[in-house]
Amino acid sequence: MKSYPRSKNFSIGKVGLNINGDLSEKEMEERVRIAEKAGVEIIWIGEFEGFEDPFKVAEVVSSCSNLKVGFGVLSAQKGCERIISGVERLRERYGDRFIVGVGAGSYADPKDGYRKLKKCLNFLNEFDFPVVVGAGSPMTTALSKETDGVLFNSVKEEFISWLLSYADTSFKAAYGPALILPSDNEEDLLLAAAIVFTGSRRLIEEFRFENIANELSKVDIMSLVRTRWGGGSIAEQEGAEALFKYRDFLLSNFTIGGSAEDVKARIKSLLQLCDHVVLADPFFRDIESVKRLKEVVV
């Protein structure tokens, strides 16, 4: 186990911004500079198939700002050696400003995913940078005792309260889709909520959401995501009617959305349970939401 001291919040402030690697370098730099001026102290970088390598995105963020960088989260399925090499290269150039978030990644067998995640965390435990576990279930949350913190894959107070009883670490963060509304990216917010929900098997069981989950499981969500990536609307696409049917359920339970005042109020509410809140995809996509960051940073 790690024996070196850690500050409770890693000196990263109360609100972080997620930026993923599917924007141009110029667009990323613009958002990073706005976030830094707004008082954000850390950019969290996600890892998804088809996006730019998260370590390359970290290079962009680090080279144009003094912000800390968190990986939220890297997949244990892809191997821990590449995490070590990627982080060490960044530290050589930009110093000790990186937090490594690791999640189970995609897997057919939950037990296999858990084993690989635990093995990866144990391996990373030997190195001298902060490591946090991405968690959405009691089993993964319990792994926080072997890390420096936990990133809850949730921004709903009820769900976080459920997971907190399994957490054993000083740093806890809520991480989930967010957006200031109205926005041209509202369909992206709905899709992000559906992805989080349908990927939360234990949460679905615990809160008895099986009927909704069964209906949404028939939707090709990634096809709808690709429609959005291409600049189109999902309104007339096959399967979208199910998402709009459960729009209120998805947005209220799996996102932080509404006016700037609403978003700030939700952040304050989550901070009663956690140390940090990450405004995740699609917040960074909407430049108007990013420009209003100063209104919601607490």
Side-chain angles (χ1 to χ4, degrees):
M1 299 294 287
K2 292 178 178 175
S3 59
Y4 46 90
R6 297 295 185 195
S7 62
K8 185 176 181 182
N9 64 1
F10 305 122
S11 299
I12 59 174
K14 296 182 182 299
V15 179
L17 177 66
N18 159 234
I19 295 180
N20 296 328
D22 60 332
L23 297 179
S24 69
E25 187 170 318
K26 181 179 179 181
E27 289 174 314
M28 283 191 277
E29 289 178 347
E30 177 186 25
R31 285 154 173 77
V32 168
R33 292 190 177 106
I34 293 171
E36 191 168 25
K37 289 181 180 178
V40 169
E41 297 180 30
I42 186 168
I43 299 295
W44 292 91
I45 300 167
E47 179 174 45
F48 299 96
E49 295 298 330
F51 287 3
E52 184 65 85
D53 182 281
F55 297 105
K56 292 183 179 179
V57 179
E59 286 270 3
V60 175
V61 175
S62 302
S63 64
C64 73
S65 75
N66 292 312
L67 297 176
K68 290 186 171 63
V69 173
F71 293 99
V73 292
L74 301 172
S75 171
Q77 299 293 308
K78 296 184 177 181
C80 280
E81 291 79 4
R82 58 114 193 188
I83 296 177
I84 296 300
S85 60
V87 173
E88 290 303 331
R89 283 196 304 270
L90 289 167
R91 295 177 79 198
E92 287 175 8
R93 295 193 62 182
Y94 303 106
D96 189 17
R97 53 197 280 202
F98 301 93
I99 299 173
V100 178
V102 184
S106 300
Y107 48 84
D109 180 0
K111 291 182 179 179
D112 181 53
Y114 175 83
R115 284 192 296 268
K116 289 182 178 178
L117 175 57
K118 182 175 175 59
K119 182 178 179 180
C120 185
L121 291 173
N122 288 338
F123 178 69
L124 294 174
N125 204 36
E126 301 300 320
F127 296 84
D128 65 344
F129 46 75
V131 176
V132 297
V133 61
S137 72
M139 283 183 68
T140 50
T141 299
L143 289 175
S144 63
K145 68 179 181 295
E146 301 174 23
T147 71
D148 300 302
V150 58
L151 296 179
F152 292 121
N153 188 29
S154 177
V155 286
K156 178 72 171 181
E157 292 84 348
E158 183 180 4
F159 304 155
I160 290 175
S161 294
W162 166 57
L163 292 173
L164 275 172
S165 63
Y166 301 94
D168 183 13
T169 184
S170 61
F171 174 78
K172 305 170 187 70
Y175 195 119
L179 195 63
I180 295 176
L181 301 172
S183 167
D184 292 338
N185 294 87
E186 186 168 353
E187 288 185 354
D188 300 316
L189 185 68
L190 183 59
L191 286 166
I195 291 170
V196 173
F197 170 56
T198 56
S200 304
R201 301 182 212 181
R202 277 290 288 111
L203 184 144
I204 289 167
E205 294 170 1
E206 177 71 19
F207 291 91
R208 300 180 180 178
F209 293 145
E210 288 92 347
N211 289 340
I212 299 175
N214 288 339
E215 193 166 341
L216 292 181
S217 69
K218 301 172 185 176
V219 179
D220 187 348
I221 295 176
M222 289 313 299
S223 176
L224 298 177
V225 169
R226 287 190 288 272
T227 296
R228 289 296 298 151
W229 285 349
S233 170
I234 66 170
E236 303 301 323
Q237 298 296 309
E238 182 178 355
E241 64 275 6
L243 295 188
F244 288 109
K245 175 182 177 180
Y246 293 109
R247 176 185 179 278
D248 290 345
F249 166 80
L250 290 169
L251 295 185
S252 63
N253 285 292
F254 301 97
T255 76
I256 301 173
S259 67
E261 292 78 10
D262 292 335
V263 171
K264 188 170 186 176
R266 282 295 309 286
I267 291 172
K268 287 183 175 180
S269 177
L270 287 163
L271 288 172
Q272 298 299 308
L273 298 170
C274 298
D275 306 293
H276 187 74
V277 177
V278 184
L279 303 176
D281 198 343
F283 198 99
F284 72 91
R285 299 184 186 283
D286 181 13
I287 190 61
E288 296 306 317
S289 287
V290 175
K291 288 178 179 178
R292 300 186 69 182
L293 260 174
K294 194 169 185 178
E295 297 177 43
V296 303
V297 172
V298 296

PDB file of all heavy atoms in Angstrom, residues 11 22 28 31 36 54 100 121 156 162 209 223 225 230:
ATOM      1  N   SER A  11      -5.420  19.220  -4.292  1.00  0.00           N
ATOM      2  CA  SER A  11      -5.343  20.633  -4.691  1.00  0.00           C
ATOM      3  C   SER A  11      -5.850  20.834  -6.116  1.00  0.00           C
ATOM      4  O   SER A  11      -5.213  21.489  -6.940  1.00  0.00           O
ATOM      5  CB  SER A  11      -3.905  21.152  -4.565  1.00  0.00           C
ATOM      6  OG  SER A  11      -3.448  21.075  -3.248  1.00  0.00           O
ATOM      7  N   ASP A  22     -11.870  14.190 -29.315  1.00  0.00           N
ATOM      8  CA  ASP A  22     -12.481  14.232 -30.643  1.00  0.00           C
ATOM      9  C   ASP A  22     -12.723  15.658 -31.118  1.00  0.00           C
ATOM     10  O   ASP A  22     -13.528  15.888 -32.012  1.00  0.00           O
ATOM     11  CB  ASP A  22     -13.770  13.415 -30.672  1.00  0.00           C
ATOM     12  CG  ASP A  22     -14.821  13.928 -29.690  1.00  0.00           C
ATOM     13  OD1 ASP A  22     -14.436  14.509 -28.661  1.00  0.00           O
ATOM     14  OD2 ASP A  22     -16.016  13.730 -29.966  1.00  0.00           O
ATOM     15  N   MET A  28      -9.589  22.332 -28.487  1.00  0.00           N
ATOM     16  CA  MET A  28      -9.221  21.911 -27.136  1.00  0.00           C
ATOM     17  C   MET A  28      -8.513  23.038 -26.397  1.00  0.00           C
ATOM     18  O   MET A  28      -8.818  23.331 -25.239  1.00  0.00           O
ATOM     19  CB  MET A  28      -8.345  20.666 -27.191  1.00  0.00           C
ATOM     20  CG  MET A  28      -9.112  19.384 -27.462  1.00  0.00           C
ATOM     21  SD  MET A  28      -8.121  17.900 -27.207  1.00  0.00           S
ATOM     22  CE  MET A  28      -7.255  17.797 -28.768  1.00  0.00           C
ATOM     23  N   ARG A  31     -10.880  25.762 -25.168  1.00  0.00           N
ATOM     24  CA  ARG A  31     -11.661  25.378 -24.001  1.00  0.00           C
ATOM     25  C   ARG A  31     -10.798  25.312 -22.742  1.00  0.00           C
ATOM     26  O   ARG A  31     -11.253  25.689 -21.656  1.00  0.00           O
ATOM     27  CB  ARG A  31     -12.342  24.030 -24.272  1.00  0.00           C
ATOM     28  CG  ARG A  31     -13.540  24.164 -25.216  1.00  0.00           C
ATOM     29  CD  ARG A  31     -13.822  22.897 -25.985  1.00  0.00           C
ATOM     30  NE  ARG A  31     -15.057  22.981 -26.751  1.00  0.00           N
ATOM     31  CZ  ARG A  31     -15.175  23.648 -27.905  1.00  0.00           C
ATOM     32  NH1 ARG A  31     -14.138  24.291 -28.426  1.00  0.00           N
ATOM     33  NH2 ARG A  31     -16.337  23.675 -28.542  1.00  0.00           N
ATOM     34  N   GLU A  36      -9.365  27.551 -17.471  1.00  0.00           N
ATOM     35  CA  GLU A  36      -8.350  28.032 -16.539  1.00  0.00           C
ATOM     36  C   GLU A  36      -8.712  29.414 -16.016  1.00  0.00           C
ATOM     37  O   GLU A  36      -8.600  29.693 -14.816  1.00  0.00           O
ATOM     38  CB  GLU A  36      -6.985  28.038 -17.214  1.00  0.00           C
ATOM     39  CG  GLU A  36      -5.836  28.274 -16.249  1.00  0.00           C
ATOM     40  CD  GLU A  36      -4.485  27.981 -16.870  1.00  0.00           C
ATOM     41  OE1 GLU A  36      -4.351  28.048 -18.114  1.00  0.00           O
ATOM     42  OE2 GLU A  36      -3.550  27.678 -16.117  1.00  0.00           O
ATOM     43  N   PRO A  54      -5.657   9.439 -25.265  1.00  0.00           N
ATOM     44  CA  PRO A  54      -5.748  10.368 -24.131  1.00  0.00           C
ATOM     45  C   PRO A  54      -4.413  10.974 -23.724  1.00  0.00           C
ATOM     46  O   PRO A  54      -4.367  12.091 -23.202  1.00  0.00           O
ATOM     47  CB  PRO A  54      -6.333   9.502 -23.010  1.00  0.00           C
ATOM     48  CG  PRO A  54      -6.100   8.093 -23.425  1.00  0.00           C
ATOM     49  CD  PRO A  54      -6.144   8.094 -24.907  1.00  0.00           C
ATOM     50  N   VAL A 100      -4.076   9.578 -12.247  1.00  0.00           N
ATOM     51  CA  VAL A 100      -4.443   8.473 -13.129  1.00  0.00           C
ATOM     52  C   VAL A 100      -5.708   7.792 -12.639  1.00  0.00           C
ATOM     53  O   VAL A 100      -5.721   7.149 -11.590  1.00  0.00           O
ATOM     54  CB  VAL A 100      -3.290   7.450 -13.228  1.00  0.00           C
ATOM     55  CG1 VAL A 100      -3.712   6.273 -14.112  1.00  0.00           C
ATOM     56  CG2 VAL A 100      -2.042   8.118 -13.787  1.00  0.00           C
ATOM     57  N   LEU A 121      -4.596  -2.018 -10.694  1.00  0.00           N
ATOM     58  CA  LEU A 121      -4.460  -1.090  -9.571  1.00  0.00           C
ATOM     59  C   LEU A 121      -3.316  -1.504  -8.654  1.00  0.00           C
ATOM     60  O   LEU A 121      -2.555  -0.663  -8.164  1.00  0.00           O
ATOM     61  CB  LEU A 121      -5.772  -1.025  -8.779  1.00  0.00           C
ATOM     62  CG  LEU A 121      -6.955  -0.365  -9.498  1.00  0.00           C
ATOM     63  CD1 LEU A 121      -8.224  -0.513  -8.666  1.00  0.00           C
ATOM     64  CD2 LEU A 121      -6.675   1.097  -9.792  1.00  0.00           C
ATOM     65  N   LYS A 156     -25.854  11.463  -9.388  1.00  0.00           N
ATOM     66  CA  LYS A 156     -27.137  11.434  -8.669  1.00  0.00           C
ATOM     67  C   LYS A 156     -26.856  11.162  -7.202  1.00  0.00           C
ATOM     68  O   LYS A 156     -26.230  10.152  -6.847  1.00  0.00           O
ATOM     69  CB  LYS A 156     -28.037  10.341  -9.253  1.00  0.00           C
ATOM     70  CG  LYS A 156     -29.381  10.188  -8.562  1.00  0.00           C
ATOM     71  CD  LYS A 156     -30.308  11.355  -8.872  1.00  0.00           C
ATOM     72  CE  LYS A 156     -31.721  11.054  -8.345  1.00  0.00           C
ATOM     73  NZ  LYS A 156     -32.652  12.148  -8.638  1.00  0.00           N
ATOM     74  N   TRP A 162     -25.558   5.399  -2.035  1.00  0.00           N
ATOM     75  CA  TRP A 162     -25.521   3.926  -2.047  1.00  0.00           C
ATOM     76  C   TRP A 162     -24.092   3.412  -2.140  1.00  0.00           C
ATOM     77  O   TRP A 162     -23.679   2.523  -1.398  1.00  0.00           O
ATOM     78  CB  TRP A 162     -26.358   3.428  -3.224  1.00  0.00           C
ATOM     79  CG  TRP A 162     -26.179   1.992  -3.596  1.00  0.00           C
ATOM     80  CD1 TRP A 162     -26.353   0.899  -2.804  1.00  0.00           C
ATOM     81  CD2 TRP A 162     -25.809   1.492  -4.896  1.00  0.00           C
ATOM     82  NE1 TRP A 162     -26.117  -0.261  -3.520  1.00  0.00           N
ATOM     83  CE2 TRP A 162     -25.790   0.079  -4.801  1.00  0.00           C
ATOM     84  CE3 TRP A 162     -25.527   2.084  -6.120  1.00  0.00           C
ATOM     85  CZ2 TRP A 162     -25.467  -0.740  -5.896  1.00  0.00           C
ATOM     86  CZ3 TRP A 162     -25.212   1.284  -7.206  1.00  0.00           C
ATOM     87  CH2 TRP A 162     -25.184  -0.109  -7.086  1.00  0.00           C
ATOM     88  N   PHE A 209     -34.557  -0.887 -11.979  1.00  0.00           N
ATOM     89  CA  PHE A 209     -34.809  -0.206 -13.239  1.00  0.00           C
ATOM     90  C   PHE A 209     -34.836  -1.184 -14.424  1.00  0.00           C
ATOM     91  O   PHE A 209     -34.650  -0.790 -15.567  1.00  0.00           O
ATOM     92  CB  PHE A 209     -33.720   0.841 -13.501  1.00  0.00           C
ATOM     93  CG  PHE A 209     -33.717   2.006 -12.533  1.00  0.00           C
ATOM     94  CD1 PHE A 209     -32.509   2.592 -12.160  1.00  0.00           C
ATOM     95  CD2 PHE A 209     -34.889   2.516 -12.013  1.00  0.00           C
ATOM     96  CE1 PHE A 209     -32.484   3.675 -11.288  1.00  0.00           C
ATOM     97  CE2 PHE A 209     -34.878   3.603 -11.144  1.00  0.00           C
ATOM     98  CZ  PHE A 209     -33.671   4.179 -10.778  1.00  0.00           C
ATOM     99  N   SER A 223     -25.106   3.752 -32.738  1.00  0.00           N
ATOM    100  CA  SER A 223     -25.515   4.229 -34.061  1.00  0.00           C
ATOM    101  C   SER A 223     -26.041   5.661 -33.970  1.00  0.00           C
ATOM    102  O   SER A 223     -25.746   6.498 -34.824  1.00  0.00           O
ATOM    103  CB  SER A 223     -26.590   3.311 -34.641  1.00  0.00           C
ATOM    104  OG  SER A 223     -27.072   3.812 -35.876  1.00  0.00           O
ATOM    105  N   VAL A 225     -25.167   7.758 -31.626  1.00  0.00           N
ATOM    106  CA  VAL A 225     -23.990   8.581 -31.328  1.00  0.00           C
ATOM    107  C   VAL A 225     -23.265   8.942 -32.615  1.00  0.00           C
ATOM    108  O   VAL A 225     -22.845  10.101 -32.809  1.00  0.00           O
ATOM    109  CB  VAL A 225     -23.040   7.834 -30.363  1.00  0.00           C
ATOM    110  CG1 VAL A 225     -21.697   8.564 -30.259  1.00  0.00           C
ATOM    111  CG2 VAL A 225     -23.678   7.703 -28.986  1.00  0.00           C
ATOM    112  N   GLY A 230     -21.710  12.894 -36.836  1.00  0.00           N
ATOM    113  CA  GLY A 230     -21.791  13.370 -38.211  1.00  0.00           C
ATOM    114  C   GLY A 230     -22.534  14.682 -38.352  1.00  0.00           C
ATOM    115  O   GLY A 230     -22.712  15.174 -39.471  1.00  0.00           O
TER     116      GLY A 230
END
